[in-house]
Amino acid sequence: MNPLSLVRHLALLGLAYAALVAETSVVPQLSLGGATFRPLWIVLALVVVGGRGSAIVVWAAVLGFTSDCLRSNGPLGLDLVLATVAVCLLPSEWTRRRIHSITTTTLTAVLLTAGIESASRLVRIGIVSPNSAWLTDTLPAAVTGSLADALVSSGLLLIVLLGLRGLHRSLGRMLLPAPLST
Amino acid sequence: MRAATNWKPPAICLLVGLALITVPDPIASSIRSHVIDMARPGQQAVAELVDRLEGWHPLEGTARVADNHRQDLEAARLEIRRLRIANARLVERAVAGRTDSSQPPLITTDLVPARVLGHETIAAWQAGRILDRGRGLPVDSLVVEPGHATLDLGVDSGLARGQPAYAGRRVAGRISRVGRWTSTLQPLTDTRFRGLARLARRGRDRPVFSARGMLEGCGDGFCRLTLVPATEVVARYDLVYTDGRDQPGGWPMLYGTVVRAELPDGAPHWEIRIRPAINLDELQNVEILTRTLNPQRSNSPGVLAQ
């Protein structure tokens, strides 16, 4: 394995653990107008734009399994399956090579969070209260809530990425040699 | 994804997921608990970080210096208190040594407790309705003065005109007329009342005395303190104590509190209004200071007799 790739995976592992800690300590105390910040799917979006090939699928499974463990109801492997399917359904251009676009990263976060969350909620509600009209009853609320979560999460990700890019540019300017004046 | 070659990882992940879905609830709960337990070190780190951020202060160095100064100040206060206590003990010892002279004091003082007669009792006495069992309780033996309280002690108990009367450590007035069994109390607010007085500020453990003056009754429930020079410092809520050497127990008694202090332009003395420390309307018991010749001294032969 490429040493740089190993470092990258270690960094992703650290991010995943930070997301787990944030989900269990910081997120419950945040009040974002009814929406929930989902750091795990942010990390999954970063995995998608920063990783390549089958590693993305494995990371999706790991993060999905972690999300499963954080939920108190429903089957254990549901988010694992949904996250795996979600990354497989993403455009191959996004998963084949690394992406440095902030827009794509944010869009990936929106799609992953909204897709996984809405599907997970629908299935969990259907398991808890199975009736014939569960899909029509719960679909609007589930999609709306998941979209709100996705927008909040990706919005925070966008702010962080823009801040990092600004910092990176500032540091780059500082490190460049000053031009000689004539 | 590269389609054909990379189908294995998703398939394996899906199989694992499907296997996990079929896991029974107790095992699923156990797995969930273990995963959440893994987050505990991170949660503790976050809690410590939050505590540090809450306790962090940009002027921590200055605060530490201020804390050291505060400790020094506290130590100095304790030292001052210790010295004050030591000083008080030395003063007591000196006073005791001064009073423990070879000869007993010539005059001894005593506080005689007396009760204030109520209006109904006085009216009954004046109407002759008090049963005296033939001992003779004439109406004219009752001493009454308008505006003065009547006490149930008289000449029989050693009371004499001019003796000061106290209620606790507060001045009530002095005896103005004395009968056989009763006497009247001239309150300190009476216009004819005069007494040496001394101003004092409230100290930490004892009053700090300052200017001397003359306390006079105003007749309206208040007193005034006169003859306090304009050069003295007088403030509201200063205390006014008795002055002079003949204090019972060596301690001054409280007249009252300064409620107004004015210094007119060019005036040589302050105009000070005093609210009495005692409520004369609710006075029920007083103690009269009596002075008698010490029998130990009167029985011993004098110097001239030797």
Side-chain angles (χ1 to χ4, degrees):
Chain A
M1 181 182 275
N2 185 359
L4 193 62
S5 177
L6 181 65
V7 170
R8 188 175 290 118
H9 283 293
L10 286 175
L12 287 173
L13 187 65
L15 276 176
Y17 186 74
L20 172 65
V21 171
E23 289 262 16
T24 54
S25 59
V26 180
V27 171
Q29 298 176 14
L30 289 179
S31 177
L32 301 168
T36 307
F37 176 55
R38 295 308 310 269
L40 281 172
W41 306 140
I42 297 288
V43 176
L44 182 57
L46 293 175
V47 167
V48 168
V49 297
R52 277 189 301 181
S54 56
I56 296 173
V57 178
V58 175
W59 272 110
V62 169
L63 293 169
F65 173 70
T66 309
S67 175
D68 273 323
C69 292
L70 295 177
R71 296 186 197 269
S72 57
N73 60 356
L76 189 58
L78 179 61
D79 282 359
L80 188 156
V81 172
L82 291 173
T84 307
V85 171
V87 295
C88 290
L89 292 176
L90 286 175
S92 58
E93 289 80 14
W94 292 4
T95 55
R96 199 183 301 153
R97 56 185 175 83
R98 293 194 182 90
I99 300 168
H100 297 286
S101 164
I102 289 177
T103 311
T104 309
T105 307
T106 309
L107 185 61
T108 307
V110 171
L111 291 175
L112 286 173
T113 308
I116 297 171
E117 281 294 314
S118 56
S120 180
R121 286 182 192 182
L122 280 173
V123 173
R124 288 174 202 279
I125 292 170
I127 290 172
V128 171
S129 57
N131 58 48
S132 57
W134 70 271
L135 189 63
T136 53
D137 288 347
T138 55
L139 185 63
V143 171
T144 307
S146 304
L147 199 58
D149 294 355
L151 289 176
V152 165
S153 303
S154 52
L156 289 173
L157 175 67
L158 180 64
I159 292 168
V160 171
L161 290 178
L162 287 174
L164 285 175
R165 190 171 70 176
L167 185 68
H168 185 255
R169 285 183 180 172
S170 303
L171 284 174
R173 278 197 211 97
M174 284 171 63
L175 294 175
L176 277 176
L180 292 171
S181 59
T182 55
Chain B
M1 306 280 300
R2 278 171 283 183
T5 55
N6 285 338
W7 62 271
K8 285 181 183 174
I12 293 171
C13 290
L14 289 173
L15 283 176
V16 170
L18 293 172
L20 283 172
I21 288 172
T22 59
V23 164
D25 277 347
I27 298 174
S29 299
S30 174
I31 292 171
R32 281 189 170 114
S33 301
H34 281 93
V35 171
I36 291 173
D37 285 346
M38 282 170 58
R40 189 166 296 167
Q43 290 171 343
Q44 289 174 347
V46 169
E48 286 180 11
L49 183 66
V50 169
D51 286 345
R52 286 189 182 182
L53 285 175
E54 285 177 352
W56 180 73
H57 197 275
L59 301 174
E60 192 177 3
T62 312
R64 199 177 297 127
V65 171
D67 196 34
N68 291 337
H69 287 324
R70 203 175 297 122
Q71 288 177 357
D72 292 345
L73 182 63
E74 194 61 32
R77 279 179 179 158
L78 286 173
E79 180 65 13
I80 289 170
R81 192 173 176 188
R82 188 187 69 78
L83 290 172
R84 275 184 175 158
I85 293 170
N87 184 44
R89 284 180 181 161
L90 287 173
V91 168
E92 284 176 6
R93 206 175 294 166
V95 169
R98 214 179 297 145
T99 53
D100 289 346
S101 56
S102 57
Q103 291 287 336
L106 179 63
I107 305 295
T108 59
T109 57
D110 192 16
L111 287 170
V112 181
R115 295 178 193 82
V116 179
L117 293 178
H119 296 296
E120 293 180 358
T121 306
I122 292 171
W125 192 325
Q126 288 174 331
R129 293 199 303 266
I130 294 179
L131 299 176
D132 57 1
R133 294 185 180 179
R135 293 185 181 179
L137 193 63
V139 175
D140 53 1
S141 65
L142 176 67
V143 181
V144 179
E145 272 187 288
H148 292 193
T150 302
L151 307 179
D152 66 346
L153 294 182
V155 178
D156 280 1
S157 304
L159 265 59
R161 190 169 182 271
Q163 287 172 334
Y166 306 111
R169 302 207 67 84
R170 299 165 298 176
V171 179
R174 63 166 60 99
I175 302 298
S176 59
R177 286 181 61 187
V178 186
R180 183 181 173 188
W181 288 307
T182 59
S183 54
T184 55
L185 175 71
Q186 179 191 31
L188 75 163
T189 55
D190 188 78
T191 52
R192 290 165 293 174
F193 184 90
R194 299 286 185 277
L196 291 173
R198 197 169 182 190
L199 280 166
R201 292 193 309 277
R202 296 174 195 272
R204 285 191 63 164
D205 48 359
R206 59 173 61 189
V208 181
F209 291 98
S210 57
R212 290 186 166 86
M214 178 70 72
L215 186 119
E216 301 174 0
C218 295
D220 57 353
F222 285 83
C223 307
R224 62 172 164 266
L225 187 64
T226 59
L227 303 178
V228 175
T231 53
E232 296 289 344
V233 178
V234 184
R236 279 185 74 185
Y237 307 118
D238 278 356
L239 302 172
V240 183
Y241 285 91
T242 56
D243 192 25
R245 295 189 179 89
D246 298 330
Q247 311 279 1
W251 285 96
M253 296 289 186
L254 182 64
Y255 277 125
T257 311
V258 174
V259 292
R260 196 176 67 207
E262 293 175 348
L263 185 62
D265 291 339
H269 298 108
W270 283 88
E271 291 180 0
I272 303 168
R273 191 168 172 83
I274 311 293
R275 178 187 288 123
I278 196 168
N279 187 353
L280 292 164
D281 294 333
E282 297 178 357
L283 196 62
Q284 292 184 342
N285 296 286
V286 293
E287 292 169 324
I288 295 103
L289 182 70
T290 59
R291 295 182 178 88
T292 53
L293 183 65
N294 192 346
Q296 295 177 359
R297 291 286 296 274
S298 58
N299 293 336
S300 62
V303 177
L304 294 173
Q306 290 177 358

